Each structure stands twice: as structure tokens, then as C-alpha cells.
Amino acid sequence: KLQEKIIILFTRSELKKLLLLFVGILIMGLLEVIGVTTVVPFIAVVVSPELVYENIYLSQIYNFFNFQSVNKFIFFLGVILISTMLISNGFQAFMLWCITYFTNMQGSRLQVRLLESYLMRPYGFFLLRNSSDLGKNVLSEVNRVTTGVIMTSLQVLSKIIIVLFLFLLLIFVNPIIAISAAIFLGGIYALIYKLVKLRLHNI
């Protein structure tokens, strides 16, 4: 049934655009990971400048670019960090615009398709239905589907992918801390979700 609903809601060209959005969301997650990985060496060198000579990777970069002082190397790392953050945040803003634009255009196309479907119905169809309900379907219900389901789903998907990529990075750096944090934070989230769900159900 889900596949049938997707086929009804999206044309083939729209499904291709959805695929492009998914690829963009994956790139956004990778940029987020790259941004986090650039923060760590910068802070480490600022706190302990001797790491430039002790860490094999930092020393290779230091010698490769032939820096004359540690301060210049720290400035270099700072420029890389700021540039990475700007690119990452800029791409996130671009993807948010793409998701919003796709959702609004999808809503417009669905409204047109629904209106065309109504106009092609026989006269007897309108005798059995309230015109205000038909207008509500075109003007309100389509908007609820696009903003409440499609846009929200894409935004949630982007956040899930970012969290997943960051979790994989933490697993690579320190599996014990990553798993412990995931269990702790996941448990708190599950508890809050259960309490809020119960409260909303009672209301």
C-alpha cells in the first residue's frame, strides 16, 4: 500500500528529484562529519602546541607546508576549520531551501492534479458532495500532506543521517564511549517520548 501511495503522490521525474535530495542529504552528513573532525585537531593543538611535533599526521602536514612557527600552523588549522564550517553550514542551508522548494512545488502540482481530477468528474459526482469539502481538499488537505508529511519526513531523514554519520565517527574514535553515550541518551529519549506520548494520549 505504501508503494501505491508513493506512485500516486509522485511522478517518475519527481521520484528522481527525491533521489537527488537523498544524495544531497548524504553529502550534508559527510560534510558534518568533516566539520567535526577538523575541530578536534585545532583544539588539541591550541591546548597542547607540542602535538605538532609529537603527532605523526600533524607533523607531516607541518613539514609538508614548511611552516616556520607553530602559531602560523595554528592559524592555518583555524582557517581550514572556519572554511569547513562555512561550507558545511552553507550546504545545509542550500539543502533546506531545496527541501522547502521541492515540498512547495509538490504541493502546487498535487493541487493542480486534484483540481483537474475533480473537473473531469461527471455532474452527478458534485451532486453527492459538498463543494466546500472539495475546496478544502484542494486548498488545505494537500498542504497538510506536503508540509506535515513530505517536508517533515525529509527533514527527519536528514537529521537521522547526520546523527548516524556522527555516531559512526564516534565508533571509529572510541567505541566504548560512543555505545555508552548512545545507550544513555537513547534511554533518556525513550523515557521522555513515553511520558509525552502518555500525556498527549490523555489530553
Side-chain angles (χ1 to χ4, degrees), residues 77-89:
L77 292 178
V79 170
I80 292 179
L81 172 62
I82 294 174
S83 301
T84 305
M85 290 298 182
L86 288 175
I87 293 173
S88 178
N89 291 334

Side-chain angles (χ1 to χ4, degrees), residues 14-99:
E14 291 165 355
L15 288 175
K16 291 180 179 179
K17 293 177 182 178
L18 266 180
L19 181 60
L20 290 175
L21 283 177
F22 179 72
V23 173
I25 290 172
L26 289 177
I27 296 174
M28 185 172 63
L30 289 174
L31 289 175
E32 190 73 18
V33 171
I34 294 173
V36 172
T37 54
T38 54
V39 172
V40 176
F42 175 75
I43 295 178
V45 173
V46 170
V47 175
S48 303
E50 63 274 8
L51 284 176
V52 175
Y53 307 104
E54 296 174 357
N55 186 279
I56 182 174
Y57 301 107
L58 292 176
S59 62
Q60 285 180 353
I61 298 174
Y62 185 84
N63 294 325
F64 179 80
F65 289 100
N66 194 24
F67 286 100
Q68 301 301 320
S69 66
V70 175
N71 289 335
K72 291 183 179 180
F73 184 65
I74 293 176
F75 178 78
F76 170 74
L77 292 178
V79 170
I80 292 179
L81 172 62
I82 294 174
S83 301
T84 305
M85 290 298 182
L86 288 175
I87 293 173
S88 178
N89 291 334
F91 191 78
Q92 284 191 37
F94 172 71
M95 285 305 302
L96 178 61
W97 179 85
C98 289
I99 291 174

